[in-house]
Amino acid sequence: MHVVPLGELLWLTEAVADMETLRARAGAVTVAVALDLLVWNGAVGAVAGGSIAWWLPVAAVALIHQSLWWLASRPYAVLTAQCAFALVSTVVPQWQPFSGLLIATYAVSSRSRGRHTLAVLVGLGVALLSHSYGSARLTLDPLRSTVTLLALWGALAIAVWAVGARHRRTVDRAVAAGETLSAQARAGVAHERLRIARELHDGVCGAVTAIQLQAAGASALGPTHPEAAGPSLVAIQSSAERTLLELRRVLGDLRRDSVDESGASSIEAPSLDEIPQLVELARAAGLHVTLTQTVDPL
């Protein structure tokens, strides 16, 4: 069994985190084939005696690792194929393909939500056991060597699984944060629309209603008392001016173009001091209005 640096394998699994792109999938297939052939020492001796053709492991590795093209859409199927392929070490002990197996393990752990976890672990354990026993049977103490090698393979598989699980948690947190921000944005838009509706209702609608009443009064007085319609027309003009100012204030709040350095709008909002003026406009329209006003100076 050749020793492969753990850092290199973890880098390989991280490199295929984004398996949605064609380039990433092609890179995963290429690296897996190259790594398995690099680690394989060329041994072709079979357990039953004799040997197999040297080109058979090369062709099999190149063929089976094509399953990595479907790693993003069918990770469980790819892992199953890789686990089955790993059993070749029970026939040819020193031929132990493992890179595709670890890449598929990473893909499953980075996408799994607890489904089929037991079946995945069982299949992965059988594959690693075949690798361990294939190498251990060539030693003086096969049982102890099998346990030792299985522990080493298990530690490697656990490390790869942990990296994939961490990637999944990171993605889940990012998705949750995005959903929270979207919900906050929608709530902010709804609140702003409600504020604009209140501004228009409290300011502009009231002024337009006053204009309507004044115009109705002027229209009623015009035919019989033309001299009395004059104040109503003046009141209509004043109300129209106030309405335009109110519209400018609301639009200025929306554009934020009229905000000075202190954060206050350059267009003043209506104040309580303007209430008597509104009452006079209503009286000029012919309405009988009584104003009783008690305001705390503070």
Side-chain angles (χ1 to χ4, degrees):
M1 173 182 175
H2 290 261
V3 178
V4 181
L6 176 60
E8 183 178 354
L9 291 175
L10 295 182
W11 171 84
L12 176 61
T13 56
E14 287 284 6
V16 298
D18 182 15
M19 293 300 298
E20 301 297 335
T21 63
L22 180 63
R23 182 177 180 180
R25 286 180 289 177
V29 173
T30 302
V31 172
V33 172
L35 190 58
D36 271 350
L37 294 180
L38 180 64
V39 173
W40 176 52
N41 61 3
V44 292
V47 174
S51 61
I52 62 174
W54 66 267
W55 54 266
L56 185 58
V58 177
V61 167
L63 178 63
I64 295 300
H65 286 344
Q66 297 304 313
S67 63
L68 298 176
W69 285 96
W70 293 273
L71 197 58
S73 58
R74 297 179 177 85
Y76 288 100
V78 174
L79 181 58
T80 301
Q82 292 293 333
C83 288
F85 182 46
L87 298 179
V88 299
S89 58
T90 59
V91 179
V92 182
Q94 292 182 298
W95 176 26
Q96 299 182 349
F98 65 94
S99 58
L101 180 65
L102 294 180
I103 293 175
T105 299
Y106 172 85
V108 170
S109 65
S110 64
R111 291 165 174 80
S112 175
R113 296 298 186 275
R115 298 175 300 175
H116 314 301
T117 302
L118 181 59
V120 169
L121 295 179
V122 170
L124 185 59
V126 171
L128 297 180
L129 179 60
S130 69
H131 281 350
S132 303
Y133 181 69
S135 297
R137 67 184 301 165
L138 303 177
T139 64
L140 297 178
D141 191 350
L143 180 59
R144 179 177 298 179
S145 298
T146 299
V147 174
T148 302
L149 292 175
L150 182 60
L152 294 176
W153 277 115
L156 182 59
I158 290 174
V160 172
W161 186 281
V163 173
R166 184 187 66 179
H167 175 73
R168 184 189 71 245
R169 290 192 297 269
T170 300
V171 172
D172 290 344
R173 285 195 296 267
V175 171
E179 292 176 351
T180 300
L181 291 177
S182 298
Q184 292 176 350
R186 290 192 296 268
V189 170
H191 178 75
E192 186 66 14
R193 287 179 175 176
L194 181 60
R195 185 190 68 82
I196 295 172
R198 288 173 177 171
E199 290 278 352
L200 293 175
H201 177 271
D202 296 342
V204 178
C205 290
V208 172
T209 300
I211 293 176
Q212 181 185 13
L213 292 175
Q214 293 157 1
S219 177
L221 294 174
T224 56
H225 301 83
E227 69 284 355
S232 295
L233 295 177
V234 173
I236 292 174
Q237 181 180 1
S238 299
S239 297
E241 292 175 354
R242 281 189 53 81
T243 303
L244 289 177
L245 289 175
E246 185 67 19
L247 283 174
R248 288 179 57 195
R249 184 183 69 80
V250 174
L251 294 176
D253 288 341
L254 294 177
R255 292 193 302 264
R256 301 297 181 188
D257 293 336
S258 58
V259 176
D260 56 22
E261 294 180 356
S262 63
S265 176
S266 60
I267 302 176
E268 296 182 357
S271 64
L272 294 177
D273 296 336
E274 299 180 9
I275 293 180
Q277 300 177 11
L278 296 176
V279 172
E280 291 300 326
L281 291 175
R283 288 173 178 168
L287 299 177
H288 298 285
V289 181
T290 301
L291 173 63
T292 301
Q293 185 178 14
T294 302
V295 180
D296 187 345
L298 296 179

